[in-house]
Amino acid sequence: VDEVVPGQVFSLEQQLGVFDVVVNIRMTVLVVEGGLAVVNPIAPTKECVEILHKLEKKYGGIKYILLPTTQVEHKIYLEPLSRQFPSAQVWGVGRQWSFPPFPLSLIGYYPSKISGILRDTTSSEEEFPFQQDLEIKLLDIALPGSIPTPFQEAAIYHKRSKSLIVTDAVVSIPKEPPRIVSSSPSSLLKISGVWSSPSASSSPKTMFLNEVEAADSPQNTAQNRREGWAKTVLLACFLSPSSVSKELREFLDEGFVWSSGWEKTFQALISPSLIVSPLVSELVFRPQSQQVRSWAENVAEWPFRRVIPAHFGIAQRSGPKEFLRAFAFLNDESDASYKSTAGSTLSIPGTLKEDYSILQIIANAAFGKKSGA
């Protein structure tokens, strides 16, 4: 557990990934009047529950478990965590969905009964039991396409610490891999391209690596883990950035094959304190740019001093100005740094139009029109 703000805000992290593209997922614990509020549940492992019990002994019981998103990787643990703390009130955004469209309680995503729906506390006449400590501003959009998909994210402002808690709206990319990721180095070493398990026999040749072998390998250096992290970030944000081979045969034989240029793209991602991940900017925010821009401006009215996303790093010295800058690509008059050589608008200055090619293909197929990058 990390103490983000002494005696007020805590962060618990676990691993999240597929095909060795492993990042961190964060649950934030806030001290509120009479106890604790948990935001974005993670898996209630024995270690996780023990940490929460220790925090309860010091700050009071868990009063609220909050799910401020409709995204599946965050809501799958709401019901399991709420079972561990049955006295806690459970609140979530209202437009939850699943595919196939079964009731969430039947597939274990959602408790059969919740205490209430998260709404804008600043505009709603409804009274919320946590409003002395927390304010909420809700982004509520539906992605266009043949099957419109709800996307909701509630930004949460913790008054006493002046912290903004978000889920996927913005991220802060650290240069170094998070401890929870580097503690199991095989994925980073595989992505970096410097190591493969001598016992791996399936294709791709390095798909599954032994953690003990990885930890003992002479290739397990800080520099190689750092390179693996940079490439992991590019895959997580772009799916297939311009510097990775698109040849399926190469991937099946060798895993991810990289060319020069990835360093420059990674530098573009870590240079601002906050960015909107290209995965989110192209597939979620651009199709509803006006509503997203309005929500971001509304959130920026809070006097927050740090931003705590559910993935990657924590932006400790970022306020409304830095938050709004992450959404500048949605402005009709973005400055020249957001323009590609072809004249299209990039979501992050310093990236290449080609970095967004796979995301554009997905966006075109899903929404029936071209993305802005």
Side-chain angles (χ1 to χ4, degrees):
V1 60
D2 290 325
E3 195 168 17
V4 180
V5 180
Q8 299 185 59
V9 183
F10 303 88
S11 168
L12 285 73
E13 297 182 21
Q14 294 175 347
Q15 293 186 358
L16 173 72
V18 64
F19 291 121
D20 287 305
V21 181
V22 177
V23 299
N24 59 322
I25 185 168
R26 175 179 295 109
M27 178 173 71
T28 303
V29 182
L30 307 170
V31 175
V32 296
E33 184 67 28
L36 301 169
V38 171
V39 183
N40 278 321
I42 56 176
T45 61
K46 180 180 178 181
E47 181 184 13
C48 174
V49 173
E50 287 177 351
I51 290 172
L52 290 175
H53 283 321
K54 288 180 181 179
L55 291 175
E56 284 188 308
K57 288 180 180 179
K58 189 170 185 179
Y59 299 102
I62 293 178
K63 297 183 67 177
Y64 313 108
I65 300 176
L66 308 180
L67 179 68
T69 181
T70 51
Q71 299 307 101
V72 64
E73 71 271 22
H74 300 285
K75 65 186 174 188
I76 58 175
Y77 296 118
L78 177 64
E79 198 275 338
L81 187 71
S82 66
R83 282 203 315 257
Q84 296 291 326
F85 301 92
S87 62
Q89 294 186 32
V90 177
W91 291 71
V93 294
R95 300 176 67 194
Q96 299 294 341
W97 59 277
S98 69
F99 186 83
F102 298 131
L104 294 177
S105 59
L106 293 182
I107 54 179
Y109 281 1
Y110 222 64
S112 57
K113 293 183 180 180
I114 64 171
S115 304
I117 302 299
L118 293 177
R119 312 181 197 277
D120 269 41
T121 56
T122 54
S123 59
S124 174
E125 295 181 357
E126 182 179 354
E127 291 189 0
F128 299 88
F130 45 76
Q131 64 188 31
Q132 179 178 341
D133 299 281
L134 308 174
E135 291 184 1
I136 293 170
K137 294 183 178 179
L138 180 66
L139 174 62
D140 183 6
I141 57 179
L143 305 185
S146 56
I147 305 177
T149 303
F151 179 94
Q152 288 186 310
E153 176 159 341
I156 300 174
Y157 177 58
H158 185 229
K159 298 178 185 179
R160 64 175 70 189
S161 70
K162 295 188 181 299
S163 299
L164 174 64
I165 297 89
V166 296
T167 304
D168 298 311
V170 293
V171 293
S172 179
I173 305 295
K175 184 176 182 179
E176 301 289 336
R179 288 197 310 273
I180 191 67
V181 177
S182 59
S183 64
S184 301
S186 64
S187 295
L188 295 177
L189 298 180
K190 179 206 166 180
I191 295 295
S192 71
V194 300
W195 185 79
S196 63
S197 168
S199 64
S201 58
S202 58
S203 294
K205 293 179 180 178
T206 59
M207 184 67 74
F208 301 106
L209 307 179
N210 185 289
E211 288 296 347
V212 175
E213 293 172 351
D216 292 340
S217 168
Q219 285 79 28
N220 183 23
T221 65
Q223 178 57 37
N224 287 338
R225 291 194 300 271
R226 193 177 297 121
E227 179 176 334
W229 171 245
K231 292 176 177 178
T232 294
V233 168
L234 297 181
L235 290 167
C237 289
F238 292 104
L239 298 184
S240 183
S242 60
S243 51
V244 75
S245 172
K246 310 298 188 293
E247 295 294 329
L248 179 60
R249 174 52 57 188
E250 278 191 312
F251 174 75
L252 293 176
D253 288 343
E254 304 177 47
F256 295 105
V257 177
W258 296 83
S259 59
S260 61
W262 62 266
E263 301 96 331
K264 182 179 178 181
T265 304
F266 180 67
Q267 185 61 43
L269 299 190
I270 66 173
S271 293
S273 62
L274 291 169
I275 62 169
V276 175
S277 168
L279 187 66
V280 176
S281 69
E282 306 310 304
L283 302 185
V284 181
F285 286 173
R286 282 194 191 274
Q288 303 288 351
S289 59
Q290 185 174 350
Q291 289 174 265
V292 174
R293 187 166 60 240
S294 176
W295 173 79
E297 292 170 351
N298 197 16
V299 170
E301 294 175 357
W302 284 326
F304 52 90
R305 297 175 180 174
R306 68 188 54 78
V307 180
I308 307 173
H311 302 283
F312 300 112
I314 293 173
Q316 273 286 10
R317 289 178 291 276
S318 293
K321 180 180 178 181
E322 289 77 16
F323 182 79
L324 279 179
R325 187 179 299 143
F327 294 87
F329 68 96
L330 295 176
N331 296 338
D332 295 332
E333 299 178 358
S334 301
D335 64 50
S337 64
Y338 289 86
K339 302 296 182 182
S340 71
T341 53
S344 55
T345 303
L346 306 171
S347 64
I348 302 170
T351 54
L352 301 174
K353 184 177 185 294
E354 291 72 21
D355 290 322
Y356 301 81
S357 60
I358 295 298
L359 296 176
Q360 285 182 315
I361 292 172
I362 297 172
N364 293 346
F367 309 138
K369 59 181 180 180
K370 292 185 177 180
S371 173

